[in-house]
Amino acid sequence: MRMKMYVFFTSLFLLPVATHANAPSVLWAKEYGGNVWCFGESVVETDDGGFIAAGHKDNFNRSVDDGIYVVRTDSNGDTLWTREYGGESDDNAYSIQKTKDGGFVIAGDTRSFGAGNDDVYIIRTDSKGDTLWTKTYGTKENDAAYSVAVTKDGGFILAGETTFLNYPSYSVYLVRTDSAGDTLWTKMYSLGDTSSRANSVIQTDDGGFALAGWIMGGLWGLFMRTDSIGNVLVKKVFTLQSLNANGVLFRDLKQTSDGGFILVGDISRPIGFAPGVLLVRTDPDGDTLWTKVYTEALRGYSVAVTEDEGFIVSASNFIVKTDSTGDSMWSINFNGLEGKYLLKSIQQTADGGFIAAGKGTVDSSGVDFIMVRIDKEGAVIKKEKSNQQTAMEGFALSGNYKDNVIYADYTIPYPVKVRICIYDAYGRLVRVLADAFMKKGTYTAKWKTDMGRRESTAGGVYFLRLSANGHTVSKKITIVK
């Protein structure tokens, strides 16, 4: 049994701060779980426009360890029902998905049931959260599932880790079941004496599977593709030495419309190079198209493809919306200390907005299960948040292209170090227009794209980016030649 320290806490107040002038608003941010420690891990939108989120909690009123906790809300975040699942030892939920009949499937690990120390645990419920069936999978060693996906035939694929092959080292673990939870096949993938783990799994367009994770506890990032029966088609290890990485890990992935993939996680780097949230875009074979690092947070947890073919990423206390090349369009900082707010799951909602779930703390007095609803169009937020200023308020950036010259007009509201750069559509730095401490004022920077050399700047889409105080504003410019 794992030792715990319990502390009672008061209610949670999220303080979102938009870091771009065009960032949408936070419609509501709510906490769930009562006077216990709660951890939100996964959230999805329900068919009626509400939400369901899963995680785990400790209960002071019973002599048991972690229990699985699920909360179902309406579209305003008001609780419709809650459920707790598990036994008298540690049971945790890490992933929840909708099923084709309107119910839900929850995956995680259990010490209350099964054959070993920890086993993969899956719970199938109806639309009201009532249990239809539960299953455990695993060995006499340690096994866990961190992700579940519903397959095209109504069955399930679970991904996680097991120590069965090379105890005490972990190996990637996949379990494929039918719609009743009966095992169709299992696969364990060993990478020698090093530990490896899958954090996310999806079914791909061709009926196979793709997963993202890490090796050696985050020393390298891992991407794999398999066929429909788990045979490895592609295995990629990401070291990112070109970015001075000394640690890379992936926590989530999705397939993009071109058959490639988007992966999110973390990158750690030596002193002198900022760590941050890592976003990697690959082709269908896992070969890198581009990488982005967002230094506003340390850990990236979840990514979704948005309706405009861009991406939404949740990280620690930070959400960022990007275009299809990973350039930030807007971001929201939840104004907590790093590690105090962990937004571990995000998806786009049917109305074009977003829902995120995770955990939060208040003055080190407790941990609460939270959900955050973000609007697409920037509707008016609740009154108690209406007086908050944006971190980039007063900054302005515009750009245009004329007669082979790119012009960048920008306004600085107070003395600050400013960097203005031009990037191509692949995220590569093309030109630094300004990189200096500037006084308050309005400025213009320009760059002549054709200097009479044999090779000039090619036509296409480019991006202006203004960076100040750790925040950015981007504008798109099209060069026509």
Side-chain angles (χ1 to χ4, degrees):
M1 183 181 297
R2 288 176 282 193
M3 183 178 296
K4 296 183 176 66
M5 178 177 67
Y6 298 99
V7 181
F8 286 98
F9 60 91
T10 57
S11 59
L12 170 68
F13 297 92
L14 289 174
L15 300 175
V17 177
T19 57
H20 289 62
N22 61 337
S25 299
V26 175
L27 293 178
W28 50 258
K30 297 189 178 183
E31 68 273 7
Y32 308 88
N35 292 329
V36 295
W37 283 62
C38 286
F39 307 85
E41 296 284 349
S42 180
V43 65
V44 294
E45 185 178 20
T46 51
D47 293 336
D48 60 359
F51 308 101
I52 189 165
H56 36 275
K57 68 183 292 186
D58 288 324
N59 191 326
F60 296 109
N61 299 318
R62 63 180 188 175
S63 57
V64 298
D65 291 326
D66 290 354
I68 291 173
Y69 180 69
V70 174
V71 58
R72 173 81 162 80
T73 78
D74 62 18
S75 60
N76 295 316
D78 295 326
T79 301
L80 299 178
W81 51 257
T82 64
R83 296 285 187 272
E84 294 184 44
Y85 308 94
E88 294 192 355
S89 193
D90 283 354
D91 306 298
N92 302 288
Y94 300 105
S95 182
I96 188 169
Q97 299 293 338
K98 295 185 297 185
T99 53
K100 295 184 177 181
D101 62 356
F104 306 100
V105 61
I106 306 156
D109 60 27
T110 177
R111 289 189 176 184
S112 299
F113 315 106
N117 294 324
D118 293 286
D119 280 282
V120 171
Y121 192 29
I122 185 172
I123 304 167
R124 178 73 165 86
T125 79
D126 61 18
S127 61
K128 298 179 180 179
D130 295 327
T131 301
L132 299 177
W133 51 257
T134 66
K135 299 278 187 179
T136 62
Y137 314 92
T139 68
K140 64 180 180 179
E141 304 297 344
N142 297 314
D143 314 289
Y146 299 105
S147 179
V148 63
V150 180
T151 53
K152 297 174 183 178
D153 62 0
F156 307 102
I157 184 75
L158 301 107
E161 62 186 3
T162 178
T163 58
F164 179 76
L165 290 181
N166 191 27
Y167 183 86
S169 295
Y170 284 90
S171 302
V172 171
Y173 191 28
L174 287 187
V175 180
R176 175 76 162 93
T177 81
D178 62 18
S179 60
D182 294 325
T183 301
L184 299 178
W185 51 259
T186 64
K187 294 285 186 179
M188 302 176 187
Y189 309 94
S190 176
L191 298 175
D193 293 332
T194 62
S195 286
S196 56
R197 162 173 157 173
N199 289 315
S200 181
V201 66
I202 58 173
Q203 188 168 34
T204 50
D205 293 341
D206 62 1
F209 303 99
L211 60 89
W214 64 56
I215 301 171
M216 287 289 287
L219 184 59
W220 305 305
L222 176 65
F223 168 82
M224 290 177 59
R225 283 193 69 175
T226 78
D227 62 18
S228 61
I229 57 174
N231 295 316
V232 176
L233 302 175
V234 175
K235 180 173 67 177
K236 297 285 185 179
V237 177
F238 290 77
T239 61
L240 298 186
Q241 293 180 356
S242 62
L243 295 180
N244 298 294
N246 57 17
V248 175
L249 60 87
F250 295 125
R251 289 194 174 93
D252 194 19
L253 86 162
K254 297 294 188 298
Q255 191 164 28
T256 51
S257 60
D258 62 357
F261 300 91
I262 188 75
L263 301 95
V264 71
D266 318 341
I267 183 172
S268 58
R269 297 192 277 196
I271 295 174
F273 299 92
V277 176
L278 176 66
L279 195 64
V280 177
R281 179 79 182 270
T282 78
D283 65 15
D285 294 323
D287 292 324
T288 300
L289 299 178
W290 51 256
T291 61
K292 297 287 183 178
V293 177
Y294 310 96
T295 57
E296 293 89 341
L298 294 181
R299 298 177 181 88
Y301 286 98
S302 180
V303 65
V305 181
T306 52
E307 59 189 11
D308 61 357
E309 300 295 325
F311 308 104
I312 187 78
V313 173
S314 67
S316 305
N317 58 322
F318 176 71
I319 290 173
V320 60
K321 171 70 176 70
T322 82
D323 60 20
S324 61
T325 64
D327 284 314
S328 175
M329 300 173 67
W330 53 258
S331 61
I332 300 175
N333 190 314
F334 285 83
N335 205 28
L337 297 175
E338 181 63 53
K340 297 296 184 182
Y341 298 94
L342 299 179
L343 299 173
K344 302 190 77 171
S345 177
I346 195 166
Q347 70 165 205
Q348 189 163 37
T349 51
D351 64 359
F354 305 94
I355 184 71
K359 63 181 180 179
T361 62
V362 180
D363 300 328
S364 300
S365 60
V367 178
D368 212 1
F369 190 121
I370 60 172
M371 278 196 275
V372 180
R373 181 74 163 92
I374 301 167
D375 182 67
K376 177 184 180 181
E377 302 298 337
V380 176
I381 61 177
K382 290 185 176 181
K383 183 177 180 180
E384 59 266 27
K385 301 183 179 74
S386 61
N387 293 325
Q388 297 177 47
Q389 294 182 328
T390 64
M392 293 298 282
E393 184 175 351
F395 287 87
L397 175 68
S398 63
N400 64 81
Y401 172 74
K402 183 179 179 181
D403 298 330
N404 292 322
V405 178
I406 290 178
Y407 296 89
D409 300 311
Y410 54 100
T411 298
I412 308 301
Y414 52 81
V416 66
K417 188 177 187 300
V418 174
R419 181 177 171 90
I420 298 178
C421 300
I422 300 175
Y423 295 86
D424 66 16
Y426 295 96
R428 296 174 298 200
L429 177 65
V430 176
R431 188 81 171 185
V432 177
L433 299 184
D435 188 8
F437 188 89
M438 296 185 178
K439 297 180 179 179
K440 176 181 177 180
T442 298
Y443 301 87
T444 298
K446 60 183 179 179
W447 176 47
K448 190 172 184 181
T449 62
D450 188 346
M451 302 294 292
R453 299 186 180 96
R454 183 171 299 178
E455 296 183 1
S456 61
T457 304
V461 175
Y462 292 81
F463 294 88
L464 278 174
R465 181 182 297 173
L466 182 155
S467 301
N469 281 341
H471 305 293
T472 62
V473 178
S474 296
K475 297 293 181 181
K476 182 168 69 174
I477 292 179
T478 302
I479 295 178
V480 179
K481 291 193 172 184

